Amino acid sequence: IAATTTAERITFAPGAADMSRAALRIVLRHELFHYAARSATAVDAPRWLTEGVADYVGRPPTPMPPQDATLLWLPTDADLDTPGAARSLAYDRAWWFARYVAEVYGAPTLRELYLRACGVGHPDLATAVREAVGADLGEVVADWRRWRSG
């Protein structure tokens, strides 16, 4: 973990001092998103989606890595707490889902999905996806998998 965000501040881990300028910019943009969105984000929001959207804001698009069946399912909040490479892959899957929504449905739809799925009083994810994207969650995930497969 390179940094964390609270209602009052963004705090960088000691190891952040050794990060490249490019990596530090990514982390800062990611954390600034969390800081800016904090008043619109519910405490019980799906963390994987909040992290995926923050990564969408913070990370530049890069080519997809080679296909791997283990990467074709949405992460859970618990996946983000798994140590090591599994945690990194969970963040990547959340980011790829956010990228998919923005690229296929448009960045305004990604914003709407975030507000519906992560806002105070948010419905379940399936309802939020249906309201924001206009499609069934299963359909969106299946299309995301095809998009992810290239």
Side-chain angles (χ1 to χ4, degrees):
I1 297 174
T4 59
T5 300
T6 65
E8 296 83 31
R9 69 184 54 96
I10 296 170
T11 304
F12 288 89
D18 297 329
M19 295 174 72
S20 70
R21 290 179 64 124
L24 193 55
R25 274 194 295 275
I26 290 168
V27 169
L28 182 57
R29 283 192 298 258
H30 175 105
E31 296 303 330
L32 282 170
F33 171 81
H34 285 310
Y35 188 78
R38 72 193 182 288
S39 66
T41 305
V43 174
D44 65 341
R47 199 168 110 230
W48 72 267
L49 187 55
T50 67
E51 295 300 338
V53 174
D55 269 359
Y56 172 77
V57 170
R59 293 167 71 170
T62 58
M64 294 290 176
Q67 182 56 30
D68 180 342
T70 64
L71 303 179
L72 293 177
W73 44 277
L74 294 177
T76 65
D77 290 352
D79 291 336
L80 300 176
D81 295 328
T82 304
R87 177 188 181 126
S88 179
L89 288 175
Y91 271 82
D92 285 347
R93 291 192 321 268
W95 173 48
W96 293 327
F97 183 78
R99 280 180 61 184
Y100 164 75
V101 171
E103 287 181 21
V104 172
Y105 296 97
T109 299
L110 177 60
R111 180 182 186 278
E112 184 65 22
L113 176 59
Y114 185 91
L115 293 173
R116 289 187 185 269
C118 301
V120 176
H122 62 86
D124 62 281
L125 184 62
T127 301
V129 167
R130 194 175 323 101
E131 292 174 348
V133 177
D136 181 69
L137 176 60
E139 177 186 334
V140 172
V141 171
D143 289 345
W144 168 69
R145 287 177 175 146
R146 281 190 287 279
W147 173 86
R148 172 62 189 90
S149 298

Short mmCIF file of all heavy atoms in Angstrom, two decimals, residues 4-43:
data_model
loop_
_atom_site.label_atom_id
_atom_site.label_comp_id
_atom_site.label_asym_id
_atom_site.label_seq_id
_atom_site.Cartn_x
_atom_site.Cartn_y
_atom_site.Cartn_z
N THR A 4 -2.85 6.06 1.72
CA THR A 4 -4.24 5.90 2.16
C THR A 4 -4.87 7.28 2.24
O THR A 4 -4.18 8.29 2.35
CB THR A 4 -4.33 5.22 3.53
OG1 THR A 4 -3.62 6.01 4.49
CG2 THR A 4 -3.79 3.81 3.51
N THR A 5 -6.19 7.27 2.17
CA THR A 5 -6.93 8.54 2.23
C THR A 5 -7.94 8.47 3.35
O THR A 5 -8.65 7.48 3.50
CB THR A 5 -7.66 8.79 0.89
OG1 THR A 5 -6.68 8.85 -0.14
CG2 THR A 5 -8.44 10.08 0.91
N THR A 6 -8.00 9.54 4.12
CA THR A 6 -9.03 9.70 5.15
C THR A 6 -9.81 10.96 4.81
O THR A 6 -9.50 11.65 3.83
CB THR A 6 -8.41 9.84 6.55
OG1 THR A 6 -7.66 11.06 6.60
CG2 THR A 6 -7.49 8.66 6.87
N ALA A 7 -10.77 11.29 5.64
CA ALA A 7 -11.55 12.52 5.42
C ALA A 7 -10.68 13.76 5.53
O ALA A 7 -11.01 14.81 4.96
CB ALA A 7 -12.70 12.58 6.41
N GLU A 8 -9.58 13.65 6.24
CA GLU A 8 -8.73 14.83 6.48
C GLU A 8 -7.51 14.93 5.59
O GLU A 8 -7.01 16.02 5.34
CB GLU A 8 -8.24 14.86 7.94
CG GLU A 8 -9.32 15.03 8.97
CD GLU A 8 -10.00 13.71 9.32
OE1 GLU A 8 -9.33 12.65 9.25
OE2 GLU A 8 -11.20 13.73 9.63
N ARG A 9 -7.00 13.77 5.12
CA ARG A 9 -5.71 13.84 4.42
C ARG A 9 -5.40 12.60 3.61
O ARG A 9 -6.01 11.55 3.82
CB ARG A 9 -4.58 14.09 5.42
CG ARG A 9 -4.30 12.91 6.34
CD ARG A 9 -3.24 13.20 7.38
NE ARG A 9 -3.52 14.36 8.16
CZ ARG A 9 -4.11 14.36 9.35
NH1 ARG A 9 -4.45 13.24 9.89
NH2 ARG A 9 -4.35 15.48 9.98
N ILE A 10 -4.41 12.74 2.77
CA ILE A 10 -3.80 11.62 2.07
C ILE A 10 -2.46 11.37 2.75
O ILE A 10 -1.67 12.30 2.92
CB ILE A 10 -3.59 11.94 0.57
CG1 ILE A 10 -4.93 12.15 -0.11
CG2 ILE A 10 -2.80 10.83 -0.11
CD1 ILE A 10 -4.83 12.71 -1.53
N THR A 11 -2.21 10.13 3.15
CA THR A 11 -0.98 9.79 3.83
C THR A 11 -0.22 8.78 2.98
O THR A 11 -0.77 7.76 2.58
CB THR A 11 -1.27 9.18 5.22
OG1 THR A 11 -2.07 10.09 5.96
CG2 THR A 11 0.01 8.88 5.97
N PHE A 12 1.03 9.09 2.71
CA PHE A 12 1.88 8.20 1.92
C PHE A 12 2.68 7.30 2.85
O PHE A 12 3.15 7.75 3.89
CB PHE A 12 2.83 9.01 1.03
CG PHE A 12 2.12 9.67 -0.11
CD1 PHE A 12 1.57 10.94 0.03
CD2 PHE A 12 1.97 9.01 -1.32
CE1 PHE A 12 0.89 11.54 -1.01
CE2 PHE A 12 1.29 9.61 -2.37
CZ PHE A 12 0.75 10.87 -2.21
N ALA A 13 2.84 6.06 2.45
CA ALA A 13 3.67 5.11 3.19
C ALA A 13 5.13 5.50 3.01
O ALA A 13 5.49 6.14 2.01
CB ALA A 13 3.43 3.69 2.66
N PRO A 14 5.99 5.13 3.95
CA PRO A 14 7.42 5.48 3.82
C PRO A 14 8.03 5.03 2.50
O PRO A 14 8.85 5.74 1.92
CB PRO A 14 8.06 4.77 5.01
CG PRO A 14 6.97 4.65 6.01
CD PRO A 14 5.71 4.44 5.21
N GLY A 15 7.63 3.89 1.98
CA GLY A 15 8.19 3.38 0.73
C GLY A 15 7.85 4.23 -0.49
O GLY A 15 8.48 4.11 -1.54
N ALA A 16 6.87 5.12 -0.36
CA ALA A 16 6.50 5.97 -1.48
C ALA A 16 7.65 6.88 -1.91
O ALA A 16 7.73 7.29 -3.07
CB ALA A 16 5.26 6.80 -1.14
N ALA A 17 8.54 7.17 -1.00
CA ALA A 17 9.68 8.03 -1.32
C ALA A 17 10.59 7.39 -2.37
O ALA A 17 11.29 8.09 -3.09
CB ALA A 17 10.49 8.34 -0.06
N ASP A 18 10.54 6.07 -2.48
CA ASP A 18 11.38 5.36 -3.43
C ASP A 18 10.69 5.10 -4.77
O ASP A 18 11.28 4.50 -5.67
CB ASP A 18 11.82 4.02 -2.85
CG ASP A 18 12.67 4.20 -1.60
OD1 ASP A 18 13.40 5.21 -1.52
OD2 ASP A 18 12.59 3.33 -0.71
N MET A 19 9.45 5.56 -4.90
CA MET A 19 8.70 5.32 -6.14
C MET A 19 9.18 6.26 -7.25
O MET A 19 9.66 7.36 -6.98
CB MET A 19 7.20 5.55 -5.90
CG MET A 19 6.59 4.56 -4.95
SD MET A 19 4.87 4.95 -4.56
CE MET A 19 4.10 4.52 -6.10
N SER A 20 9.02 5.81 -8.48
CA SER A 20 9.35 6.68 -9.61
C SER A 20 8.33 7.82 -9.65
O SER A 20 7.25 7.73 -9.07
CB SER A 20 9.29 5.89 -10.92
OG SER A 20 7.94 5.56 -11.23
N ARG A 21 8.67 8.87 -10.36
CA ARG A 21 7.76 10.02 -10.48
C ARG A 21 6.44 9.59 -11.13
O ARG A 21 5.37 10.00 -10.71
CB ARG A 21 8.41 11.14 -11.28
CG ARG A 21 9.55 11.81 -10.55
CD ARG A 21 10.16 12.88 -11.41
NE ARG A 21 9.17 13.92 -11.64
CZ ARG A 21 9.34 15.20 -11.35
NH1 ARG A 21 10.47 15.59 -10.84
NH2 ARG A 21 8.40 16.07 -11.60
N ALA A 22 6.54 8.74 -12.15
CA ALA A 22 5.33 8.28 -12.85
C ALA A 22 4.44 7.47 -11.90
O ALA A 22 3.22 7.65 -11.87
CB ALA A 22 5.70 7.46 -14.08
N ALA A 23 5.03 6.56 -11.15
CA ALA A 23 4.25 5.74 -10.21
C ALA A 23 3.64 6.61 -9.11
O ALA A 23 2.48 6.41 -8.72
CB ALA A 23 5.14 4.65 -9.60
N LEU A 24 4.39 7.57 -8.64
CA LEU A 24 3.89 8.48 -7.60
C LEU A 24 2.70 9.30 -8.12
O LEU A 24 1.72 9.51 -7.41
CB LEU A 24 5.01 9.38 -7.10
CG LEU A 24 4.74 10.16 -5.83
CD1 LEU A 24 4.33 9.24 -4.69
CD2 LEU A 24 5.96 10.97 -5.44
N ARG A 25 2.78 9.73 -9.37
CA ARG A 25 1.65 10.47 -9.98
C ARG A 25 0.40 9.60 -10.03
O ARG A 25 -0.71 10.07 -9.77
CB ARG A 25 2.01 10.97 -11.38
CG ARG A 25 2.73 12.30 -11.39
CD ARG A 25 2.77 12.90 -12.79
NE ARG A 25 3.56 12.10 -13.72
CZ ARG A 25 4.88 12.20 -13.86
NH1 ARG A 25 5.55 13.06 -13.14
NH2 ARG A 25 5.51 11.44 -14.72
N ILE A 26 0.56 8.33 -10.38
CA ILE A 26 -0.59 7.41 -10.44
C ILE A 26 -1.21 7.28 -9.06
O ILE A 26 -2.42 7.39 -8.89
CB ILE A 26 -0.16 6.04 -11.01
CG1 ILE A 26 0.15 6.17 -12.50
CG2 ILE A 26 -1.23 4.99 -10.75
CD1 ILE A 26 0.84 4.96 -13.09
N VAL A 27 -0.37 7.05 -8.06
CA VAL A 27 -0.88 6.89 -6.69
C VAL A 27 -1.56 8.17 -6.24
O VAL A 27 -2.64 8.13 -5.64
CB VAL A 27 0.27 6.50 -5.73
CG1 VAL A 27 -0.18 6.59 -4.28
CG2 VAL A 27 0.77 5.10 -6.05
N LEU A 28 -0.98 9.31 -6.52
CA LEU A 28 -1.57 10.58 -6.10
C LEU A 28 -2.91 10.82 -6.77
O LEU A 28 -3.89 11.19 -6.10
CB LEU A 28 -0.62 11.74 -6.38
CG LEU A 28 -1.11 13.12 -5.94
CD1 LEU A 28 -1.42 13.14 -4.45
CD2 LEU A 28 -0.08 14.18 -6.29
N ARG A 29 -3.01 10.57 -8.07
CA ARG A 29 -4.31 10.74 -8.76
C ARG A 29 -5.35 9.78 -8.18
O ARG A 29 -6.51 10.16 -7.98
CB ARG A 29 -4.16 10.52 -10.27
CG ARG A 29 -3.54 11.72 -10.98
CD ARG A 29 -3.67 11.60 -12.49
NE ARG A 29 -2.98 10.44 -13.01
CZ ARG A 29 -1.79 10.47 -13.62
NH1 ARG A 29 -1.18 11.62 -13.80
NH2 ARG A 29 -1.25 9.37 -14.07
N HIS A 30 -4.96 8.55 -7.93
CA HIS A 30 -5.85 7.55 -7.34
C HIS A 30 -6.37 8.05 -5.98
O HIS A 30 -7.58 8.04 -5.72
CB HIS A 30 -5.08 6.23 -7.18
CG HIS A 30 -5.83 5.15 -6.49
ND1 HIS A 30 -6.37 4.09 -7.16
CD2 HIS A 30 -6.12 4.95 -5.18
CE1 HIS A 30 -6.96 3.28 -6.30
NE2 HIS A 30 -6.82 3.79 -5.08
N GLU A 31 -5.47 8.48 -5.14
CA GLU A 31 -5.86 8.94 -3.80
C GLU A 31 -6.64 10.25 -3.85
O GLU A 31 -7.56 10.46 -3.05
CB GLU A 31 -4.65 9.05 -2.89
CG GLU A 31 -3.95 7.73 -2.61
CD GLU A 31 -4.84 6.65 -1.99
OE1 GLU A 31 -5.79 6.97 -1.26
OE2 GLU A 31 -4.56 5.45 -2.26
N LEU A 32 -6.31 11.12 -4.78
CA LEU A 32 -7.08 12.36 -4.93
C LEU A 32 -8.52 12.06 -5.34
O LEU A 32 -9.45 12.76 -4.91
CB LEU A 32 -6.42 13.29 -5.94
CG LEU A 32 -5.20 14.06 -5.43
CD1 LEU A 32 -4.49 14.76 -6.59
CD2 LEU A 32 -5.59 15.05 -4.35
N PHE A 33 -8.72 11.02 -6.16
CA PHE A 33 -10.08 10.63 -6.49
C PHE A 33 -10.83 10.23 -5.23
O PHE A 33 -11.95 10.69 -4.99
CB PHE A 33 -10.12 9.48 -7.51
CG PHE A 33 -11.51 8.96 -7.67
CD1 PHE A 33 -12.40 9.62 -8.51
CD2 PHE A 33 -11.97 7.87 -6.95
CE1 PHE A 33 -13.72 9.19 -8.63
CE2 PHE A 33 -13.27 7.42 -7.07
CZ PHE A 33 -14.16 8.09 -7.91
N HIS A 34 -10.21 9.38 -4.41
CA HIS A 34 -10.87 8.97 -3.16
C HIS A 34 -11.19 10.19 -2.30
O HIS A 34 -12.28 10.29 -1.73
CB HIS A 34 -9.99 8.02 -2.36
CG HIS A 34 -9.91 6.63 -2.90
ND1 HIS A 34 -11.02 5.88 -3.24
CD2 HIS A 34 -8.84 5.83 -3.14
CE1 HIS A 34 -10.64 4.69 -3.66
NE2 HIS A 34 -9.33 4.64 -3.63
N TYR A 35 -10.24 11.10 -2.21
CA TYR A 35 -10.45 12.30 -1.38
C TYR A 35 -11.59 13.14 -1.94
O TYR A 35 -12.48 13.57 -1.20
CB TYR A 35 -9.16 13.12 -1.31
CG TYR A 35 -9.26 14.26 -0.33
CD1 TYR A 35 -9.14 14.02 1.04
CD2 TYR A 35 -9.48 15.56 -0.76
CE1 TYR A 35 -9.24 15.06 1.95
CE2 TYR A 35 -9.59 16.60 0.15
CZ TYR A 35 -9.47 16.35 1.49
OH TYR A 35 -9.59 17.37 2.39
N ALA A 36 -11.61 13.35 -3.24
CA ALA A 36 -12.65 14.18 -3.86
C ALA A 36 -14.02 13.51 -3.79
O ALA A 36 -15.05 14.19 -3.67
CB ALA A 36 -12.29 14.47 -5.31
N ALA A 37 -14.07 12.18 -3.86
CA ALA A 37 -15.34 11.46 -3.89
C ALA A 37 -15.84 11.08 -2.50
O ALA A 37 -16.92 10.51 -2.38
CB ALA A 37 -15.19 10.20 -4.75
N ARG A 38 -15.09 11.41 -1.47
CA ARG A 38 -15.42 10.91 -0.13
C ARG A 38 -16.82 11.30 0.33
O ARG A 38 -17.50 10.51 0.96
CB ARG A 38 -14.37 11.34 0.88
CG ARG A 38 -14.38 12.81 1.23
CD ARG A 38 -13.13 13.23 1.99
NE ARG A 38 -13.17 14.63 2.37
CZ ARG A 38 -13.04 15.64 1.54
NH1 ARG A 38 -12.85 15.43 0.25
NH2 ARG A 38 -13.09 16.89 1.97
N SER A 39 -17.29 12.50 0.00
CA SER A 39 -18.62 12.92 0.47
C SER A 39 -19.74 12.23 -0.30
O SER A 39 -20.87 12.17 0.17
CB SER A 39 -18.77 14.44 0.37
OG SER A 39 -18.75 14.85 -0.98
N ALA A 40 -19.44 11.68 -1.47
CA ALA A 40 -20.45 10.99 -2.28
C ALA A 40 -20.33 9.47 -2.18
O ALA A 40 -21.05 8.75 -2.85
CB ALA A 40 -20.31 11.40 -3.74
N THR A 41 -19.41 8.98 -1.34
CA THR A 41 -19.16 7.55 -1.23
C THR A 41 -19.64 7.03 0.12
O THR A 41 -19.21 7.51 1.16
CB THR A 41 -17.65 7.25 -1.39
OG1 THR A 41 -17.20 7.83 -2.62
CG2 THR A 41 -17.38 5.77 -1.40
N ALA A 42 -20.52 6.03 0.07
CA ALA A 42 -21.04 5.43 1.29
C ALA A 42 -19.97 4.58 1.96
O ALA A 42 -19.09 4.01 1.29
CB ALA A 42 -22.24 4.55 0.96
N VAL A 43 -20.05 4.47 3.26
CA VAL A 43 -19.11 3.65 4.02
C VAL A 43 -19.19 2.19 3.58
O VAL A 43 -18.17 1.50 3.54
CB VAL A 43 -19.39 3.78 5.54
CG1 VAL A 43 -18.54 2.83 6.35
CG2 VAL A 43 -19.19 5.21 5.99
#
